[in-house]
Amino acid sequence: MRHFFRFDTLNSPVFPFSQLHAGSHVTKGNRMNKKVIAGLISLAFYHTSSSATESINLDEVVVTATRTSQARENVIGDVTVIDRQAIERMGAGSITDLLRMQPGVQISANGGAGTGSNVYLRGTNDQHVVVLVDGLRINSATSGTTSFENIPLGQIESIEILRGPASSLYGADAIGGVIQIFTRKNISDAPVVSAAAGLGSFNTKTAEFGISGAVSALKYGVNVSSMDTESFSAKRIRVGKDADDDSYRNLSTSAFLELALAQGHTWGLQFFESKGHAEFDNNYENFGEQTLQSYAFTSKNQFTDIWHSTFKLGMGVDDSDSHARPNTNPASSSYNPSGISQFRTEQQQLTWQHDIQLPIGALTLAYDRLEQDVDAQSNVKTTVKKQRNNDSFLASYLANVDKHTLQLSLREDHNTQFGNYTTGGVGYGYRITPEWRITASYGKAFKAPTFNQLYFPNFGDPTLTPEKSDNIEATARYTGQHFNAGITIFENKIRNLIANAGPATSGCTFGGFCPINVGKVEILGTTIDGNWNINDNLLLSGNLTIQSPRDEETDQLLVRRGNRYGTVNLMHTWGKLQWGSEITGASTRYNDTNNTKAMRGYMLVNFTANYKLSPEWKLEARANNVFDKNYIIAYTGNTVTAVPYNTAGSNLFVGLRYSMKH
């Protein structure tokens, strides 16, 4: 769990509201495992297709890149779409396992299933990505991060990843990009049932069930999923209380209702809830219980042929209890006789968006309101109740004229804590030939300080200012009948970076770890991706990112981010059998700002297979880390005695899936 007081990953104090990363600085190591280079740079193709006979679906619609439905072939932004079939191939894996195989994504985790996980998009910090579930934020406003470990794959229909600055569309925190998760929603007039069950290593058990359909003008759907695993010890150590396996269990539900009032007018309700219980290593048999929720009402109205309105009112919740060793000393500053710390973030969200078709192009006008409430108690003497509101106005323009595509966006945010901030973006695309297209874009973004950084007792500094960034990028992409490939070059400069590295002050007693606005970070990088249908039954795909996320003053690499990482996939279809292999790897990374605590490069090999027993029944299998690679993606700290967080060795998962056909 991420919400408890201890010294952790970056040897900086981790407060009850989050893991506060001192890792806003960077390092100099360019060394890389030669095997990783050989395995990745030789093949740089993009993983998107769900079968060996598919290429990129150009008729696919992308929403996240513009906040409106847009044909994928016209998108200017650097976008990846992960479909349901790719999700099912992950077996009992996690969303971070899935994300780290995508271009521009690196991850870290503090152990196995259910432990704290972080996502770094294009080398930016884990707090530099906006994560949406069906359009709603569910992150912790105290830590500024999202609990990916409690978002189960069984509830996800698809994921869209927008790399690059997106504050001009989504507001604060979108310096690295946006990850939007769409829960399962099978719109069908006839009742449709789906189900799945599986068993795997670490005594892992999973189950899924879903039903959807329609009654007259009302469409409905409910999906339930569960996971229970003994997992393994979070720390790579078997001493005392840390000798046990740290188990995890999760029960999640999503549901929707959609009522057609008249032609072009619908009302909708959506709901998502995930309840996770995770154990973690410490000097006490610690565990955490966390509930993520999002629910909303949506009204979609086609008022005229050229004017479509969407009104959404919803709530995102991150509610967590952390159970640790009781402190029964009333004189202690951390007196807590129950040992329970409680943290709750509520984010009330309202969006009113108008999409207007013009004689040339389309105009989007929107008003967004975000009300963030934090109610946290780490012990009897430390309680924080804070609130801040954000009102924003957005105007964007999108036009496709012959071979040209133009995207403009401008957004004004007014926040009761840090005042006004204006962001903008401009993008242009040109189709040179039917196969070749080039795009270029510029965007500004910002990140608001977290509640921890502002208000945590004896730590926070309410005078902190938002981080700011400027990003430029250019892409060249080839789309053929059997081969697709692209290259994106980007430069992201971040200013006023907030680091937990300041001296003690009258408001902060944690000398050396106090939050301050410091220095600049420059991230230069290139992403190569593509896929090749070698024949009707064989698909090769993959991606490679080469980047330099460095602090301009120290020339050191950002914490837990490497220079190179990528994935190669091979998928073969033979009658009813489909099998595939995945190779994913990363170069050397560091656990500290001084680049002394190295984590060597690694390469993992996975195998997947599925067999269609009938049109409705499918047998699935997945073998992960088949060569039992011993690798590290995070340490418990940066001292000599710090130990690595554990990673999974060789493991196997087998499942049976049913999907009703209609």
Side-chain angles (χ1 to χ4, degrees):
M1 292 297 294
R2 31 177 102 237
H3 304 289
F4 51 92
F5 188 92
R6 60 187 175 91
F7 279 77
D8 197 12
T9 57
L10 302 176
N11 201 27
S12 62
V14 179
F15 300 97
F17 302 159
S18 74
Q19 294 172 336
L20 291 174
H21 294 298
S24 297
H25 284 165
V26 277
T27 75
K28 57 179 179 285
N30 280 329
R31 301 184 303 275
M32 180 178 177
N33 187 315
K34 292 182 180 179
K35 293 182 179 180
V36 178
I37 299 177
L40 296 176
I41 204 167
S42 61
L43 292 171
F45 300 100
Y46 174 49
H47 175 50
T48 181
S49 299
S50 58
S51 76
T53 59
E54 294 178 348
S55 294
I56 293 177
N57 181 7
L58 296 180
D59 295 328
E60 194 170 32
V61 172
V62 176
V63 176
T64 309
T66 59
R67 289 185 46 154
T68 61
S69 298
Q70 184 184 19
R72 181 167 182 161
E73 63 177 338
N74 295 326
V75 171
I76 293 176
D78 185 10
V79 175
T80 294
V81 178
I82 307 172
D83 61 21
R84 179 61 199 170
Q85 288 175 298
I87 294 170
E88 290 178 358
R89 284 199 298 272
M90 286 305 300
S94 66
I95 187 173
T96 49
D97 292 333
L98 178 64
L99 290 174
R100 74 166 157 189
M101 293 194 296
Q102 312 308 318
V105 180
Q106 289 184 289
I107 65 102
S108 68
N110 296 345
T115 60
S117 302
N118 297 303
V119 172
Y120 309 104
L121 201 54
R122 273 192 183 175
T124 58
N125 288 348
D126 54 347
Q127 300 175 355
H128 289 165
V129 57
V130 169
V131 180
L132 305 172
V133 175
D134 294 326
L136 297 175
R137 295 189 183 216
I138 60 169
N139 63 295
S140 168
T142 55
S143 68
T145 59
T146 300
S147 297
F148 285 97
E149 63 273 11
N150 279 311
I151 303 178
L153 291 176
Q155 293 294 338
I156 301 175
E157 181 64 31
S158 66
I159 302 173
E160 293 183 3
I161 305 172
L162 172 63
R163 290 172 288 273
S167 287
S168 61
L169 293 173
Y170 295 96
D173 310 330
I175 287 178
V178 178
I179 297 176
Q180 179 149 209
I181 299 164
F182 298 93
T183 56
R184 301 186 68 174
K185 186 178 291 185
N186 185 4
I187 302 294
S188 173
D189 291 334
V192 175
V193 173
S194 62
L199 297 172
S201 302
F202 313 118
N203 197 22
T204 299
K205 299 177 285 292
T206 67
E208 302 173 20
F209 176 80
I211 184 170
S212 61
V215 178
S216 187
L218 179 66
K219 295 183 178 180
Y220 64 89
V222 178
N223 289 279
V224 180
S225 64
S226 69
M227 179 180 184
D228 192 321
T229 178
E230 291 181 4
S231 193
F232 44 83
S233 177
K235 294 179 183 177
R236 194 167 295 177
I237 186 173
R238 292 283 185 175
V239 178
K241 295 291 186 180
D242 295 340
D244 63 332
D245 292 329
D246 295 304
S247 64
Y248 173 70
R249 61 178 182 267
N250 179 279
L251 179 63
S252 301
T253 305
S254 63
F256 74 92
L257 292 173
E258 187 175 290
L259 177 64
L261 303 172
Q263 183 67 31
H265 299 268
T266 62
W267 282 354
L269 295 174
Q270 67 187 60
F271 174 77
F272 166 77
E273 180 180 78
S274 173
K275 289 181 173 291
H277 176 102
E279 297 178 350
F280 48 86
D281 282 334
N282 213 309
N283 293 324
Y284 175 74
E285 294 178 346
N286 295 18
F287 65 92
E289 295 179 331
Q290 185 170 38
T291 299
L292 299 179
Q293 284 184 341
S294 69
Y295 45 90
F297 164 79
T298 303
S299 177
K300 298 181 179 180
N301 304 96
Q302 188 74 48
F303 288 119
T304 69
D305 291 340
I306 65 170
W307 175 23
H308 184 270
S309 171
T310 302
F311 175 84
K312 175 172 284 191
L313 179 63
M315 173 81 81
V317 178
D318 181 327
D319 191 358
S320 177
D321 293 343
S322 182
H323 298 249
R325 181 187 295 275
N327 182 338
T328 57
N329 180 9
S332 172
S333 61
S334 58
Y335 173 54
N336 190 351
S338 69
I340 301 175
S341 302
Q342 299 175 311
F343 322 95
R344 182 178 177 90
T345 292
E346 292 185 354
Q347 300 189 89
Q348 301 178 57
Q349 300 162 71
L350 181 151
T351 295
W352 194 13
Q353 180 169 316
H354 304 273
D355 301 311
I356 303 168
Q357 293 295 322
L358 303 178
I360 299 178
L363 176 67
T364 295
L365 302 173
Y367 165 70
D368 293 338
R369 179 171 175 82
L370 176 65
E371 299 179 358
Q372 295 179 312
D373 293 273
V374 169
D375 188 352
Q377 183 176 28
S378 59
N379 54 64
V380 174
K381 299 180 180 181
T382 303
T383 301
V384 174
K385 291 186 178 182
K386 292 291 183 179
Q387 178 184 24
R388 67 182 178 193
N389 302 327
N390 192 93
D391 293 284
S392 60
F393 299 89
L394 161 72
S396 68
Y397 176 75
L398 181 66
N400 296 293
V401 182
D402 193 21
K403 299 178 181 180
H404 307 270
T405 301
L406 178 66
Q407 181 179 346
L408 304 171
S409 56
L410 183 68
R411 179 178 172 120
E412 174 76 14
D413 284 87
H414 176 73
N415 191 282
T416 55
Q417 189 274 319
F418 58 79
N420 296 343
Y421 200 82
T422 302
T423 52
V426 56
Y428 172 73
Y430 179 72
R431 188 166 296 282
I432 303 172
T433 70
E435 294 80 20
W436 281 98
R437 184 171 184 255
I438 57 173
T439 62
S441 62
Y442 164 79
K444 295 176 65 67
F446 75 104
K447 174 198 168 295
T450 68
F451 279 77
N452 278 352
Q453 294 165 338
L454 291 168
Y455 306 121
F456 187 81
N458 301 316
F459 176 79
D461 181 356
T463 66
L464 290 172
T465 60
E467 301 176 23
K468 305 175 183 179
S469 79
D470 294 273
N471 182 91
I472 57 173
E473 61 187 78
T475 299
R477 182 164 295 280
Y478 175 85
T479 304
Q481 185 176 0
H482 300 289
F483 179 77
N484 307 283
I487 180 171
T488 299
I489 301 172
F490 58 89
E491 180 186 53
N492 197 351
K493 293 186 176 182
I494 306 172
R495 309 181 306 281
N496 294 338
L497 197 71
I498 300 175
N500 302 322
T505 66
S506 59
C508 178
T509 59
F510 296 90
F513 300 111
C514 296
I516 56 173
N517 288 106
V518 298
K520 299 178 181 179
V521 165
E522 181 179 33
I523 304 174
L524 297 171
T526 300
T527 297
I528 307 168
D529 59 68
N531 62 38
W532 177 26
N533 279 107
I534 300 173
N535 57 44
D536 290 342
N537 299 313
L538 191 62
L539 174 70
L540 180 65
S541 61
N543 63 79
L544 172 67
T545 299
I546 304 172
Q547 64 182 22
S548 180
R550 296 181 178 277
D551 184 286
E552 286 191 351
E553 181 179 351
T554 64
D555 195 37
Q556 293 177 326
L557 281 172
L558 289 169
V559 171
R560 295 180 178 174
R561 273 147 284 183
N563 289 114
R564 300 171 183 86
Y565 51 95
T567 300
V568 175
N569 304 273
L570 183 67
M571 185 66 66
H572 183 259
T573 300
W574 183 29
K576 297 179 180 181
L577 174 66
Q578 185 181 71
W579 66 271
S581 61
E582 304 165 350
I583 303 174
T584 181
S587 64
T588 298
R589 293 135 293 115
Y590 296 89
N591 201 70
D592 65 323
T593 58
N594 295 321
N595 286 186
T596 59
K597 198 74 173 179
M599 298 178 288
R600 296 181 57 187
Y602 66 89
M603 180 185 296
L604 305 179
V605 178
N606 308 321
F607 291 133
T608 67
N610 65 78
Y611 182 80
K612 288 187 176 181
L613 302 171
S614 72
E616 296 180 322
W617 290 92
K618 182 169 62 174
L619 186 65
E620 301 170 337
R622 181 177 183 86
N624 295 311
N625 193 6
V626 293
F627 296 116
D628 202 26
K629 176 68 176 180
N630 185 2
Y631 66 104
I632 300 170
I633 55 177
Y635 274 90
T636 61
N638 300 318
T639 63
V640 175
T641 58
V643 298
Y645 283 110
N646 225 343
T647 52
S650 297
N651 61 92
L652 177 68
F653 179 82
V654 178
L656 182 64
R657 185 171 301 276
Y658 172 81
S659 299
M660 179 184 290
K661 305 299 179 182
H662 60 87

